[in-house]
Amino acid sequence: MPGSRATKPGDVVTSMSGKTIEVLNTDAEGRLVLCDALTYAERFKPKSVIDIATLTGAAVATFGNLITALLSNNQELADSLLECGQQSLDPAWQLPLWDEYQPLLNSKFADIANIGGPRAGTITAACFLSRFAKKYHWAHLDIAGSAWKSGIEKAATGRPVALLVEYLRQQKA
Amino acid sequence: MKYSINSTSPENLVTDCLIVPVWDRATASDVIKKLDVTCNKGIARILKSGDIQGKPGDTLMLHTLEGIKAKRILLAGCGKQGSLDAKNYRKIILACLQALAKSNVSSTHFLLSSLTITDRDSQWAVSNLVQEIEKNLYRYDHTRSKKAKAPSLKSVSIGLPEGKTRKTIHAAISLGNALGNGINIARELGNLPGNVCTPTYLAQECKKLSARYDSVKTQVLSEKQMQRMGMGSLLSVSHGSIQEAKLIVMQHMGSPKANSKPHVLVGKGITFDSGGISLKPGAAMDEMKFDMCGAASVVGTMAAVAELNCQ
């Protein structure tokens, strides 16, 4: 919330990973929360990590309400989630997580900036998270479009529960 | 909702509403032909009237047909015979549920769950049917002074799909139930306003859930604990709020192996996203209560996984 204790644009914070982050826009806050949670996840020595977040307006602009944006550092995991999305009628579609996008997050005053400018917002948000997800197979589901409906139908949809359950059911202990 | 398997012949099924398929161009399905033997081609005459096309999503409710035990028959358009896919199947189920909601039906029998779907098996058809029925039962009334009226539909029966055992179909019903319930949990948490569904409220709901399942353990980390771990980035976000941040760690221990590595889900749970000093535009800002839907989906998934006792 805005207030005297709130982060100001330009503030630099230190994440659990030790990386410093310049908060150029306080509204790109979801990734600031997720990055520490992703570092915390390392202690479980996970087989896979999937984060689910209403992260970017760009995901809504790209896919509307129909599809969840998927980005991943492991193609096998991405393929598996795409397949589970199809099977459960809770679809996702993959966007590229190319290294060429990473320089958009360069900061003059910290290790990384929390926004990558007005373009390719869903991808640069995932690029930010990828810096904190290097130690395991990771996928990111941006549900900013699919998680709720606006207007007269305004309500949460419960997505992507069906996709996630399908994925977990397929995993062997 | 009560679910059962009933393989009685369609004309003898005792139910408030029997749901039967109609193919494209008002073509009678085999079930309709069978029923028509009993009711003296009563359905064939209605199909000729042109009141139903048979496209996926079309429905027509019929009452009291001679010799048929069901009180009503709901004709459900299923498109071209032999080319029904999963998406249209779901569309048909939703149309049927809408038609049922308009009447005072308390029991129904879906003959549709035995339809051949080109890209799915019959277990999927049953679990998806149950999932959609459970989703359909959800009403938001937490912050309304009048509680939602209980739906009239109380019991659903289905036929046993060919070549399937009762056990596999019961498992499919359980799966659909767990999914529907998990999805509804995520919807409810998402729909709750920001002044009710705070981080503390979310943590309480997760603890309640873990109390229901032996396999689920919930630990809630406070701001102090997060500070000790150096989560300066996460804490910077809650710093401007009077509501304390929580890191909720739910673990489902389903594996019989002691040292098996887990799959981890991380859900974003900003219970209201004003944008902070970089304030969001005012229009539709209320929808920022949905900025915890990632976390809500993880809670719903945990409930389903615990219910199914996934390993």
Side-chain angles (χ1 to χ4, degrees), chain B residues 176-191:
Chain B
N177 236 324
L179 273 164
N181 183 42
I183 291 168
N184 288 344
I185 287 173
R187 290 161 84 191
E188 175 73 0
L189 292 174
N191 288 333

Side-chain angles (χ1 to χ4, degrees), chain B residues 196-213:
Chain B
V196 173
C197 186
T198 59
T200 304
Y201 180 92
L202 269 180
Q204 280 165 354
E205 289 302 300
C206 292
K207 286 206 156 163
K208 271 192 220 163
L209 189 75
S210 62
R212 235 177 293 153
Y213 298 101

Side-chain angles (χ1 to χ4, degrees), chain A residues 10-171:
Chain A
D11 283 2
V12 174
V13 298
T14 305
S15 66
M16 187 183 181
S17 71
K19 283 189 192 68
T20 58
I21 303 162
E22 186 184 14
V23 184
L24 290 175
N25 186 319
T26 65
D27 194 20
E29 85 301 333
R31 62 199 74 177
L32 296 176
V33 169
L34 288 168
C35 70
D36 278 346
L38 288 173
T39 303
Y40 182 78
E42 286 173 7
R43 68 184 53 204
F44 300 109
K45 300 190 170 46
K47 260 191 248 175
S48 70
V49 175
I50 303 164
D51 79 72
I52 307 100
T54 48
L55 210 61
T56 63
V60 192
T62 309
F63 293 123
N65 290 126
L66 280 181
I67 296 171
T68 297
L70 162 71
L71 298 99
S72 177
N73 64 10
N74 180 273
Q75 196 51 40
E76 208 180 315
L77 173 59
D79 287 342
S80 171
L81 288 168
L82 289 171
E83 169 61 30
C84 291
Q86 293 290 326
Q87 178 67 19
S88 59
L89 301 184
D90 189 355
W93 201 262
Q94 192 176 6
L95 292 176
L97 187 71
W98 288 5
D99 286 342
E100 288 88 329
Y101 288 101
Q102 292 281 358
L104 292 170
L105 295 165
N106 287 350
S107 160
K108 295 241 186 242
F109 303 103
D111 299 341
I112 183 174
N114 81 325
I115 49 164
R119 296 178 179 180
T122 305
I123 297 172
T124 55
C127 283
F128 178 93
L129 296 175
S130 73
R131 308 263 189 120
F132 301 87
K134 287 187 174 158
K135 296 194 177 153
Y136 41 67
H137 294 164
W138 159 78
H140 162 63
L141 296 172
D142 192 334
I143 57 167
S146 55
W148 80 89
K149 289 184 179 169
S150 305
I152 44 165
E153 285 185 293
K154 194 195 297 178
T157 60
R159 290 177 66 186
V161 171
L163 185 164
L164 293 171
V165 174
E166 182 68 26
Y167 172 75
L168 293 172
R169 280 178 63 230
Q170 288 182 8
Q171 306 308 312

